[in-house]
Amino acid sequence: MSRKQIPVVVLAGFLGSGKTTLLNHLLRRRAGNRIAVVVNDFGAIEIDAMTVAGQVGSTVSLGNGCLCCAVDASELDGYLERLTRPSARIDLIVVEASGLAEPQELVRMILAGDNPHTVYGGLVEVVDAAEFDATRRRHPEIDRHLAIADLVVLNKTDRVAEADHARILDVLGTLGPGTPVVSASYGRIDPQLLFDPAVRPPEEDKARQLSFEDLRFEDPHGDEGHTGEGVADDAVHGAGDGAGDDAVHGVGHEGHLHTEYESVSFTATAPMRPRRLMAFLDSRPPGLYRIKGYVDFGAGDPDHRYGVHAVGRFLRFHPEPWARGTERVTQLVLIGSGIDGDALLKELAACQETAAEASGAPVEQRDMWGVLRYVPDPSEAESPSGAGSADPAPESGR
C-alpha cells in the first residue's frame, strides 16, 4: 500500500497579523489530527517557535531569516521528509512563514519539491483588519499576496467598526475574486478549513490554480521582472546548479519585504523593571513596527512571564505561568525599518533591574502597571534613576 500524501499549507501574512495566534488555535482544536509545523521566524531569537513549542507533534524551526531565501528547494524537502515519516503519523504540515516572507516563493518551493509524500495544500493569508489600510499604503505588494491566496483570514475584526469590516471585505473580494474570506477574532477559525478538500486545491487542479505563470514575480513599479517561465522544468525536477536558484527565489530578492526590514534580538537574565519598560514601549520610534517576545518582571510577578505583542500602535501584555524548569529570562525580537539597533538595545538594557535593586535595598515599589505599593523612608535609600519619585500619587496604568 502506498503512503498517503500529506498536504503542506503555507500560512502567511504581514507582521503581527496573527499567524501564530491562529496556528495555536488550530493546534489546540485539531480534533485528533496531528499537525506538524515548520516555523520560519524573522530574528535570531525564535519567538514564534517558542510560542508553539509543546503544542505540536513535530516542529522544524528555521530561525534568523526568511524561508524563501533557503539555499534551494531541496533544503525544504529535507525538512518535509523528516515530517512525513510513517512513524510521525502526521495529517497536515503547516509552514508558518515569516511576516516578511514572499508567499509565492514558498509556494514555488513546495511545488518544486520532489517529496512524493507531500502535496501542496494551499496558501492561507492572514490579514490584520485594524492595520489593513496602513499596511497596503506602506507595502502595496500585499495586494499581490492576497491575489494568489487560496483562503484569506480577516483577523482582528473585533477591532474595527462594522462599516470598515464590510469595506475591507469588498476590497478583498476585488483583490482575489472568488477567494474564500473568513472573518475572525484572535485567529479563531474552524480547523476543518485546512482539511477541507473544497478549500485545498485538489491534486489534479493545483497546476491550474497556482501555476508558475500565476506566481510570476512582478516589478513593484509595474514592469514585469523575471517570470520563472524559463526555469519551471528545472525547478520542478529539483535542479540546484546555482543558476536556477536565483530564478526560483527571485533574483537578488530586491522585491522582498524583508530587504526593507531589520530585526534586533534582546536577551536579559536580570528582570525588567515594569515602569522603565513601559516608558520604552510608549516612546518607541515610528519605524519600529513589531515587537514580540516574553518578559520576566522578577519579584513584580514571580509566578508569571509576560508575552508582549506590539503591532503598529497596538500593544498587549499577556501573563502566563512559568513552566517548571524554564530559564527565567527576557527575550524580545524587534522588527522595523530604519531603526537604530544599538540604541534600542541600550535602551532595553537600561530597563533591567540594577544590582542594588536586586540586593533588596528599599526602593520605591509599584505594581505591574505603575500603581504605588510601597515607598521607603528616604533616609534608608534613594530611589534609583528611572524608578520614579517617592510621590505616593499613582500613575495612570493600562
Side-chain angles (χ1 to χ4, degrees):
M1 180 181 296
S2 61
R3 288 166 56 183
K4 68 176 181 179
Q5 286 190 309
I6 301 174
V8 180
V9 172
V10 176
L11 179 63
F14 192 62
L15 293 166
S17 58
K19 298 183 300 298
T20 302
T21 300
L22 185 151
L23 178 58
N24 277 309
H25 170 75
L26 296 176
L27 295 175
R28 288 191 295 265
R29 292 164 177 80
R30 49 196 170 87
N33 296 299
R34 288 178 62 82
I35 303 176
V37 180
V38 177
V39 178
N40 163 223
D41 216 349
F42 189 85
I45 302 173
E46 299 171 16
I47 299 299
D48 289 344
M50 293 165 57
T51 304
V52 301
Q55 298 191 51
V56 64
S58 302
T59 301
V60 177
S61 183
L62 307 178
N64 199 24
C66 174
L67 179 57
C68 68
C69 295
V71 177
D72 54 38
S74 64
E75 183 172 354
L76 179 59
D77 282 343
Y79 294 114
L80 295 181
E81 183 61 33
R82 290 167 53 189
L83 297 174
T84 55
R85 294 170 181 167
S87 58
R89 295 178 288 111
I90 297 298
D91 299 299
L92 176 72
I93 298 173
V94 178
V95 178
E96 185 196 359
S98 157
L100 300 174
E102 285 289 333
Q104 68 267 40
E105 302 296 344
L106 301 178
V107 172
R108 279 179 175 148
M109 291 175 67
I110 294 171
L111 291 175
D114 56 6
N115 188 328
H117 309 302
T118 62
V119 59
Y120 174 61
L123 169 63
V124 178
E125 185 79 15
V126 185
V127 174
D128 183 339
E131 298 288 334
F132 180 68
D133 295 326
T135 299
R136 290 186 73 209
R137 285 194 300 270
R138 191 169 186 177
H139 296 290
E141 57 268 47
I142 296 297
D143 289 2
R144 173 164 44 86
H145 301 175
L146 291 166
I148 66 171
D150 296 287
L151 172 69
V152 174
V153 177
L154 181 58
N155 197 26
K156 305 186 184 181
T157 55
D158 57 308
R159 295 180 54 206
V160 298
E162 288 187 14
D164 287 329
H165 184 187
R167 176 181 57 81
I168 295 171
L169 288 174
D170 288 341
V171 174
L172 293 174
T174 301
L175 295 174
T179 301
V181 179
V182 178
S183 296
S185 298
Y186 303 100
R188 295 168 183 162
I189 68 171
D190 183 351
Q192 290 305 313
L193 286 172
L194 299 189
F195 293 91
D196 185 355
V199 173
R200 291 201 315 270
E203 173 68 14
E204 64 272 14
D205 199 32
K206 72 177 183 182
R208 180 185 63 78
Q209 292 200 29
L210 279 169
S211 67
F212 283 92
E213 174 64 20
D214 294 332
L215 299 175
R216 65 185 180 181
F217 179 81
E218 295 180 359
D219 185 271
H221 300 293
D223 298 326
E224 285 190 354
H226 183 80
T227 65
E229 294 170 352
V231 299
D233 291 339
D234 288 341
V236 168
H237 290 90
D241 59 1
D245 293 339
D246 281 342
V248 172
H249 299 301
V251 179
H253 308 290
E254 293 89 347
H256 288 201
L257 286 170
H258 62 71
T259 61
E260 302 177 19
Y261 282 78
E262 57 185 305
S263 69
V264 177
S265 300
F266 173 79
T267 300
T269 55
M272 306 294 281
R273 300 293 288 185
R275 296 185 65 212
R276 295 176 199 159
L277 182 62
M278 291 305 301
F280 167 81
L281 294 172
D282 285 340
S283 62
R284 59 191 186 274
L288 184 54
Y289 187 82
R290 178 83 164 103
I291 303 173
K292 57 182 177 178
Y294 297 98
V295 179
D296 173 23
F297 286 119
D301 189 346
D303 297 326
H304 298 86
R305 68 176 184 176
Y306 281 73
V308 57
H309 301 272
V311 181
R313 300 176 305 278
F314 180 69
L315 173 64
R316 177 172 64 89
F317 279 90
H318 175 71
E320 59 183 65
W322 285 103
R324 181 174 298 179
T326 301
E327 183 182 8
R328 302 204 170 196
V329 298
T330 293
Q331 292 186 304
L332 296 172
V333 171
L334 302 87
I335 303 173
S337 177
I339 57 178
D340 186 338
D342 291 338
L344 291 174
L345 290 175
K346 184 176 180 180
E347 291 181 49
L348 281 170
C351 297
Q352 297 179 83
E353 184 177 76
T354 66
E357 292 163 343
S359 69
V363 296
E364 175 186 342
Q365 295 182 13
R366 295 176 180 254
D367 68 10
M368 287 294 301
W369 313 120
V371 178
L372 191 66
R373 298 171 64 183
Y374 169 68
V375 179
D377 187 329
S379 64
E380 296 178 2
E382 293 185 359
S383 177
S385 174
S389 69
D391 186 344
E395 296 183 357
S396 60
R398 292 190 175 269

